[in-house]
Amino acid sequence: MKIGVLALQGAVAEHIRSINQTGAEGVPVKKVEQLEELDGLIIPGGESTTIGKLMRKYSFIEPIRNFSAQGKPIFGTCAGLIVLAKDIAGGEEPHLALMDIQVARNAFGRQRESFETDLPVKGMEKPVRAVFIRAPLILETGEGVEVLSTYKNEIVTARQGHLLAASYHPELTEDYALHQYFADMVKDTQAAVKL
């Protein structure tokens, strides 16, 4: 099972390390052609506007939308969540516009307001160690979007079918439970395709 990490910006190596811990193979994705050999894709944190610009520059937008249209799982963390969203508060143009959520950028304040917490996530036995760095928030969810966790009554983890989004950085801890959750999503998709 091969899970790619979009390697345009952000904590790529850390995501790959976490994926490898699940038993799947993590690969950095720098070329559009690589998408064809992947079973799942992670869009990491970084700066969403920059990632969006680079995705346009290297023609990733349509190929990733096609990847999603095949039902292949995509996981967006921090800025990756913003990249997945259909609606960005404040009028910024959406990037992939795949997930039926409205998001607010930097909702948790500046870099110095970063923090770590143990976050209970629906469907997981133990809380996930979550690192919030200039994190976005999910303001609204459309039909078919399941809220998996909240922090202080704000939505920070959600799933819509084969799409998973988290406001925080699960890859910056030794806890790879959320990556395992995503790897299981990929496994389930593969099993469904074989039926």
Side-chain angles (χ1 to χ4, degrees):
M1 195 165 70
K2 212 180 248 196
I3 297 176
V5 181
L6 191 63
L8 300 177
Q9 195 203 28
V12 177
E14 290 83 350
H15 272 295
I16 287 171
R17 185 201 65 200
S18 297
I19 291 164
N20 290 339
Q21 292 283 349
T22 72
E25 182 192 351
V27 290
V29 176
K30 294 183 176 174
K31 294 193 177 105
V32 170
E33 305 80 77
Q34 289 177 272
L35 292 171
E36 289 168 30
E37 51 200 58
L38 300 178
D39 304 300
L41 178 69
I42 293 177
I43 301 172
E47 213 288 308
S48 60
T49 312
T50 305
I51 294 171
K53 275 185 187 149
L54 291 168
M55 283 169 72
R56 286 177 179 88
K57 182 178 175 183
Y58 296 108
S59 306
F60 267 104
I61 300 281
E62 282 312 313
I64 292 177
R65 283 182 182 150
N66 293 338
F67 185 88
S68 174
Q70 293 168 46
K72 290 186 176 183
I74 302 176
F75 179 18
T77 62
C78 196
L81 169 149
I82 300 168
V83 170
L84 281 179
K86 279 191 178 168
D87 187 13
I88 303 168
E92 184 185 329
E93 190 189 336
H95 304 289
L96 289 169
L98 290 172
M99 198 165 177
D100 196 3
I101 52 175
Q102 184 191 50
V103 297
R105 296 177 55 187
N106 299 342
F108 283 104
R110 304 234 165 261
Q111 196 89 17
R112 66 172 185 277
E113 281 136 14
S114 302
F115 62 96
E116 269 188 54
T117 187
D118 288 320
L119 193 68
V121 177
K122 193 174 171 183
M124 298 181 69
E125 286 173 26
K126 292 195 306 213
V128 167
R129 192 74 186 151
V131 180
F132 287 83
I133 304 170
R134 291 175 57 221
L137 263 186
I138 300 172
L139 299 175
E140 287 173 27
T141 59
E143 271 183 58
V145 178
E146 184 184 11
V147 174
L148 299 180
S149 71
T150 57
Y151 178 78
K152 294 188 174 173
N153 296 323
E154 305 278 15
I155 304 167
V156 292
T157 321
R159 178 176 176 178
Q160 181 182 353
H162 64 287
L163 304 172
L164 180 66
S167 297
Y168 45 90
H169 292 270
E171 78 285 0
L172 297 180
T173 72
E174 295 302 311
D175 177 358
Y176 61 91
L178 204 61
H179 288 82
Q180 185 63 61
Y181 180 96
F182 182 64
D184 291 343
M185 281 172 62
V186 175
K187 226 178 265 166
D188 293 346
T189 305
Q190 282 184 315
V193 168
K194 285 183 180 127
L195 288 177

